[in-house]
Amino acid sequence: MQASWRSLFMNDLNEAVCTKCKAEFESITGNACLYCGALEDGVCRDCLYWEQTEYAGLITKGQCLYRYNAAMQTYFHQYKFLQDVILSEVFAKEVQHALAKVEAVIVPIPMNPKKLKERTFAQVDAMLESARLPYKHLLTKNEDVQGKKTKTERMASTPLFQWNGEAVPKKVILVDDLYTTGTTMRHAAKVLKAAGAEEIELFCLIRG
Amino acid sequence: MKEIEDFLTGRIWLKEFTPFPKNEIDEAIAQGLIACIPGISEKQECSRCLEKSAHLISFYCEKCEGDCLYCRHCLKMGRISSCTELITWAAPSPRPLKTRSFQWSGRLTPSQNLASQQVIESIQNNRSHLIYAVCGAGKTEVLFAPIYEALKKGDRICIAAPRTDVVLELSPRIRAVFPEAVVHTLYGGSRDEPGFAEIVIATTHQLYRFQNAFDLMVVDEADAFPYSMDPALKRAVMKAKKPEAPVVYVSATPSARLLKETPGRSEIFRRYHGQPLPVPRFDSLWNYNKQLKKKTIPKKLETWVRLRISRQEPFLLFFPTIDLIDQNIPLFKELDVGIEAVHSKDPNRKEKVMALRQGKIPGLLTSTILERGITIPKVQVAVIGAEEEIFDAAALIQISGRTGRAADFPTGDIVFFHNGITREMDRAKKTIIAYNRKTIS
Ligand SMILES: [Zn+2]
Ligand SMILES: [Zn+2]
Ligand SMILES: [Zn+2]
Ligand SMILES: [Zn+2]
C-alpha cells in the first residue's frame, strides 16, 4: 500500500512541483540568526526584542531551512490553504536530514482542535510523518485570535498554548512550518519550560 | 431566493463557498430547492471534474476521522474531498420567453452565410457540427445567427474556449450583438455577475462548475491547448451541456479525430476580405543557436528585423522556448530598445500586444502563446527555429494566420527561419496553398 501510494504520488508530484520550481526554493545557508535562522548575523531584530521581554532565555538555538520567496509562498499556499495534503512530501528528505540526528524530542506546534477539523489535516504533523520522524504532542492550542491583532499586540497577548499534561522530557525541539514574528514559538517555549523542559530548540521549514 | 436560483441553476458549486449567506443556503436545502451531491461519488470519481479514483489522493482526514479522498485535478477551484458537498438548484422554474434583438450591421460573405445556415440546420437536428474555417475567415460572425435562433427559443448557450485571451476577445463582441441578453464572462479570477446568464462565455476550465446546463454548446479554438490535450476538459464540456444538446466546434486547424467524429461540417477556406492567405516561405538559419549563444543575431534575421523597423511594420518573432526568449531579448533590444518579449506567464501580455497594435513598440519576441486570437494590422511574422517540435503543422498554420488579416493590408511576410526543413513545415505550407486553391475553384 505504502509503496504504490508513494509511486503514484511521485507522478502527481512531478506535476505539482517540477524541478524548475524546486530550483526556485531558496535555502538558508551561511550566517543566520542564532535563535531563529533569519538571514542576519548573530541575533536578528525580532529575537533581540524577545530577549528583552519575559520570554528571554527560553530558546537555546534554532534553524529555518528556507526563505519565504515567491516560489515558497506558492507552495505554502497550495499546501496549507488549498489543503493539498500530498505536498507534505516535497521537503521530506530535507526535513529528515535536518532532524534525524537531533537528540531532543520533536514537539510539533499544534492546531486548535476546531481549526484542525476545518483544515482536515495538521500540516506540521503531516510534514514530520512524510519525513518519517517520530514526534510527541505536549501542547494544546487555544482558540485563534492572532489574525485580528497587530504585531506588537500579538507579541504580548494572552497565552496561545496550554500544556497537555503529558511527561515533558529535558530536551525538546519545537517544530513549525512558517516562522514569522516568533510569537508562536516563544509562547510554546514558555509553557514547556514551566512544565519542566530544560533545553528548548526550534525548527521551522520557512523563515518569513 | 431568486438570486440563489439564478446562480445555482445548471451550476455545481462547493457548498461552503457560495456568495450567499449560509442560513439561506441551508433553508433552500431544507425546502428541497437545492440538491446536495457528495464531492466524491460512489464510483470514486470527483463530482466536479469527473477525475477517476486513480488520480484521487487518500489521506487520514480529521474531519471524517478516517480515510478520505481528495481530488488534485480541480484543487485550485477549492478542494473537493469525500467530506465536502456540492450543491445545485434542484428544480429550475421555467423561464418566460423574452424578445431578443440582434444588432449587427455587417454582412456575411456567401461562404459565411452558407456555413451559418448549415450550423442552424445541424442544431435543429441536435447534431454536432464543425466549422472548419481558415484564420481570418470571420468564424465568430458565422455563429451570430445560430446563437440568435437559440436565444429566441429560450435556449441557454455556452461559448467555451481553452484560453482566457480568446474568451476576453469574444465577450465584448457577443455582448454588442445581443444587447438585451444576460451574458456572463467566466475565467480564472473573473467576478460574479448578477442574474441568470442566457449566454455564458467561459474558459473550458470553468465548465467544471456546470452540470446539465446548456442547450447549445460552442467550443471555439477546439484544437487549442490545453483543451486538445486534456480529457478532463472534454468531459467538462460534455457534463456542462444537457445530454441531447449539440456541440458546435470551431477550428482553423482541426485534428483528424475532430474531423472524423463530428457529423456536421462547414468549410470556409476564404478570408472574409476575399484575399488569399499569405504563404510561408522557408529560409535557412544554419546553427542559429550557436550564433545566439555567442551573442550575435544571425545576419539574415537581423536584416529582416531591421527592414521591419525601417518600414515601421509591426512584427512578431516566434521562438520555441521561453528560455530562448529570455536569453535573447537583450540582443534584440540593441537593435531597438522598444522591442519587448511576452510569454504565457507574463502578466503584462495584454498591454504589450496592445502597444504593438498601437504602434508604440516595433515588435515582440513571443512563445506560441500568441499563435491565436490576435489581430494586428500590417503585422509581419518570423518563426525562429521552425524545425523545433513545438512548431507542428497546426501551430505553423495558426502563426501564419496572423498575417494579412486586415482588409486594408491583406498581405504580409511570413518566414520560417529554420535549421533544416521538417515534414510539419512542409505540411503547413502545402495546407495553406491548398486552402488558397479551393478559394479559386
Ligand atoms: Zn513548476
Ligand atoms: Zn532571530
Ligand atoms: Zn476534481
Ligand atoms: Zn474528509
Side-chain angles (χ1 to χ4, degrees), chain A residues 33-38 42-48 179 186 207:
Chain A
C33 171
L34 169 71
Y35 297 114
C36 73
V43 178
C44 77
R45 260 186 31 215
D46 278 348
C47 292
L48 270 179
Y179 184 108
R186 258 68 182 199
R207 178 63 166 97

Side-chain angles (χ1 to χ4, degrees), chain A residues 71-150:
Chain A
M72 191 52 93
Q73 285 171 36
T74 307
Y75 163 82
F76 194 63
H77 177 82
Q78 185 161 337
Y79 179 43
K80 188 164 173 175
F81 298 104
L82 292 178
Q83 303 162 290
D84 197 356
V85 185
I86 208 166
L87 292 189
S88 66
E89 296 271 346
V90 173
F91 298 104
K93 243 203 220 145
E94 289 80 3
V95 172
Q96 224 276 335
H97 183 79
L99 292 178
K101 292 204 180 90
V102 295
E103 286 171 45
V105 171
I106 294 172
V107 178
I109 294 293
M111 284 170 81
N112 173 266
K114 215 170 114 195
K115 190 86 191 237
L116 177 57
K117 254 196 162 24
E118 271 168 37
R119 173 118 348 118
T120 73
F121 74 110
Q123 68 274 359
V124 179
D125 297 11
M127 179 178 89
L128 290 167
E129 277 157 28
S130 292
R132 313 194 167 201
L133 292 163
Y135 59 85
K136 190 173 183 204
H137 274 291
L138 293 175
L139 299 164
T140 53
K141 175 107 186 269
N142 300 327
E143 283 235 35
D144 206 359
V145 286
Q146 271 208 21
K148 293 171 191 125
K149 298 194 174 173
T150 63

Side-chain angles (χ1 to χ4, degrees), chain A residues 1 5 8-9 12-13 15-17 20 78 82-87 116-122, chain B residues 53-63 65 70 72 75-79 81 83 322-323 345:
Chain A
M1 173 67 190
W5 189 82
L8 164 68
F9 159 70
D12 255 63
L13 185 65
E15 248 175 68
V17 188
K20 203 176 165 187
Q78 185 161 337
L82 292 178
Q83 303 162 290
D84 197 356
V85 185
I86 208 166
L87 292 189
L116 177 57
K117 254 196 162 24
E118 271 168 37
R119 173 118 348 118
T120 73
F121 74 110
Chain B
S53 52
H55 294 276
L56 302 180
I57 304 292
S58 141
F59 74 110
Y60 179 84
C61 174
E62 298 284 351
K63 193 170 154 197
E65 295 181 334
Y70 79 95
R72 291 200 81 214
L75 182 83
K76 297 219 161 114
M77 294 180 149
R79 195 185 73 173
S81 62
C83 52
I322 295 178
D323 284 346
K345 288 181 188 104

